[in-house]
Amino acid sequence: MKKLESPKPVQGEVAASAPTGFKFKIKARLNRWRRRLWQWLFFRTIFGERATDGRALPNTRIAPSTCIVGEPGLRLADHVFIGQFNFIDASAGLQIDEGVQITNFVSIVSHSSHQSIRLLGRRYVAHDEGKTGLMPGYIRAPIRIGAYSFVGPHSVIEAGSQIGRGAVICAYAQVRGAVPAFAIMAGQPARQVGDVRIGDAKLLARHPELAEHYYAWAGQLPDAPL
């Protein structure tokens, strides 16, 4: 059998090879150092926060790239994780209960002004609520996210939403209104597509030694099939 030969470079073409040499090694090392320094300074998530009422939250982590506006309206519990590049508007009130996980690129907005801007046009910036009353079309309502809920990436939680404990908000979901406890929510607008306790029951069957910890926040699983 004739041995296959590697194709020869076309005349004028430089043969591909891994860059070598002192200059390249310095650049590669510098890039690694820059990434690590930037991550340590601006993206490292560290345990330890303090609630607006002064309570210590030693097991809560909030990534430094997350933007929080209206922070005095934020009521935060311990054991909460909030990841990178989220926008959180607590100006109308936001309660995040124990153990909630908010992943990345999530928007939580407790107010909405786009209808008012469309209605009032240029008069929006000059509207005086003291003289003419509440701004028409303006939405402002508190939000609550129940204990040990999970909020997937790129999801939106709108003003007035009330999410029950243990719920799972799938990626790209748009939540509006009430969400039952333990519901799996998906879609735009989000609708219930399942119940997390089905999966929880299977996990507890494999790890019965953890039942005490689970029941402490979730309560007993229903006897009837879900």
Side-chain angles (χ1 to χ4, degrees), residues 86 103-107 151-156 170-174:
N86 299 295
T103 55
N104 308 303
F105 300 99
V106 172
S107 293
V151 183
H154 299 281
S155 54
V156 177
C170 296
Y172 295 95
Q174 180 184 1

Side-chain angles (χ1 to χ4, degrees), residues 198-219:
I198 296 173
D200 291 347
K202 295 176 181 178
L203 285 171
L204 288 172
R206 287 160 47 192
H207 303 283
E209 72 280 4
L210 302 179
E212 180 183 356
H213 305 297
Y214 177 84
Y215 296 151
W217 69 267

Side-chain angles (χ1 to χ4, degrees), residues 7-107:
K8 296 180 180 180
V10 179
Q11 187 175 4
E13 180 183 359
V14 178
S17 60
T20 57
F22 178 76
K23 186 176 180 180
F24 174 78
K25 291 179 180 178
I26 290 296
K27 288 198 301 183
R29 182 172 296 178
L30 177 61
N31 282 331
R32 286 197 301 272
W33 285 349
R34 286 197 308 171
R35 287 195 300 272
R36 290 172 183 172
L37 178 63
W38 195 262
Q39 181 179 5
W40 190 86
L41 289 175
F42 299 108
F43 293 105
R44 189 180 181 192
T45 305
I46 301 173
F47 282 98
E49 292 287 339
R50 189 168 293 278
T52 53
D53 61 4
R55 288 176 297 110
L57 306 172
N59 303 297
T60 286
R61 294 167 289 165
I62 302 177
S65 62
T66 280
C67 174
I68 303 175
V69 299
E71 195 160 353
L74 176 62
R75 295 176 59 191
L76 191 64
D78 204 8
H79 298 276
V80 168
F81 171 79
I82 301 176
Q84 304 285 356
F85 300 107
N86 299 295
F87 177 78
I88 296 176
D89 162 30
S91 60
L94 170 61
Q95 181 171 335
I96 301 176
D97 291 340
E98 180 181 295
V100 168
Q101 299 173 71
I102 298 172
T103 55
N104 308 303
F105 300 99
V106 172
S107 293

Side-chain angles (χ1 to χ4, degrees), residues 145-149 163-167 179-183 196 217-219:
I145 304 176
Y148 293 92
S149 292
I163 299 174
R165 71 184 189 280
V179 173
F182 305 105
V196 295
W217 69 267

Side-chain angles (χ1 to χ4, degrees), residues 130-181:
K131 293 181 179 179
T132 59
L134 294 175
M135 192 174 292
Y138 192 91
I139 300 171
R140 177 181 169 87
I143 296 171
R144 180 172 184 174
I145 304 176
Y148 293 92
S149 292
F150 175 89
V151 183
H154 299 281
S155 54
V156 177
I157 300 175
E158 297 187 12
S161 295
Q162 301 290 308
I163 299 174
R165 71 184 189 280
V168 169
I169 310 301
C170 296
Y172 295 95
Q174 180 184 1
V175 176
R176 180 184 300 161
V179 173

